[in-house]
């Protein structure tokens, strides 16, 4: 619902991603440097994610970035004059599986641009 006031305030203007980023940053500052594990290898990440606070930070990270990608999709679709209903599958997939939704949107945009130029 990109034209609704609450959507513009919390999502499109970045309020919710900002709040998620603040919460993420606080959790990382408090818990990351005392947690076992690291980002140097898959076993290091697996060890790091045994800490429930680091998992929470990871979840907040995904939520914030998935929302930001969703905002980018909506804005980019406006620039390319895609009908908003075309975005529903890509936005839903972005929320659950970020990069896959982003790819679906790019494919949708490409197909729409071909359909309108034919």
């Amino acid at each position: 619902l990109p034209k609704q006031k609450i959507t513009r305030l919390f999502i499109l203007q970045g309020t919710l991603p900002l709040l998620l980023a603040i919460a993420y940053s606080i959790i990382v500052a408090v818990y990351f440097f005392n947690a076992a594990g690291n980002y140097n290898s898959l076993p290091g990440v697996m060890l790091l994610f045994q800490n429930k606070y680091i998992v929470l930070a990871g979840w907040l990270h995904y939520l914030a970035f998935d929302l930001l990608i969703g905002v980018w999709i909506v804005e980019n679709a406006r620039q390319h004059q895609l009908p908003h209903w075309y975005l529903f599958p890509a936005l839903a997939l972005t929320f659950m599986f970020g990069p896959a939704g982003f790819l679906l949107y790019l494919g949708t945009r490409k197909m729409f641009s071909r359909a309108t130029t034919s």
Side-chain angles (χ1 to χ4, degrees):
L1 306 170
K3 294 181 182 179
Q4 298 299 313
K5 187 175 184 175
I6 194 161
T7 303
R8 285 194 311 271
L9 174 64
F10 284 102
I11 307 299
L12 298 179
Q13 291 179 3
T15 304
L16 185 55
L18 173 66
L19 294 173
L20 292 169
I22 290 168
Y24 166 84
S25 297
I26 291 168
I27 292 168
V28 166
V30 172
Y31 294 102
F32 182 81
F33 298 102
N34 294 324
N38 54 55
Y39 286 122
N40 298 337
S41 65
L42 182 56
V45 172
M46 291 171 66
L47 183 60
L48 188 61
F49 273 55
Q50 290 179 6
N51 180 310
K52 65 183 177 182
Y53 297 105
I54 302 303
V55 172
L56 175 59
W59 185 42
L60 293 172
H61 178 278
Y62 281 113
L63 288 174
F65 274 82
D66 289 351
L67 281 170
L68 291 172
I69 292 298
V71 168
W72 182 87
I73 287 171
V74 169
E75 293 300 322
N76 187 265
R78 257 191 219 140
Q79 292 172 2
H80 289 271
Q81 300 177 337
L82 267 76
H84 187 70
W85 66 271
Y86 278 33
L87 308 182
F88 294 159
L91 290 173
L93 194 58
T94 298
F95 181 66
M96 296 302 296
F97 304 101
F102 178 66
L103 286 174
L104 179 61
Y105 168 69
L106 293 177
T108 301
R109 188 181 76 188
K110 187 77 163 171
M111 291 182 66
F112 178 80
S113 68
R114 283 188 188 154
T116 57
T117 57
S118 298

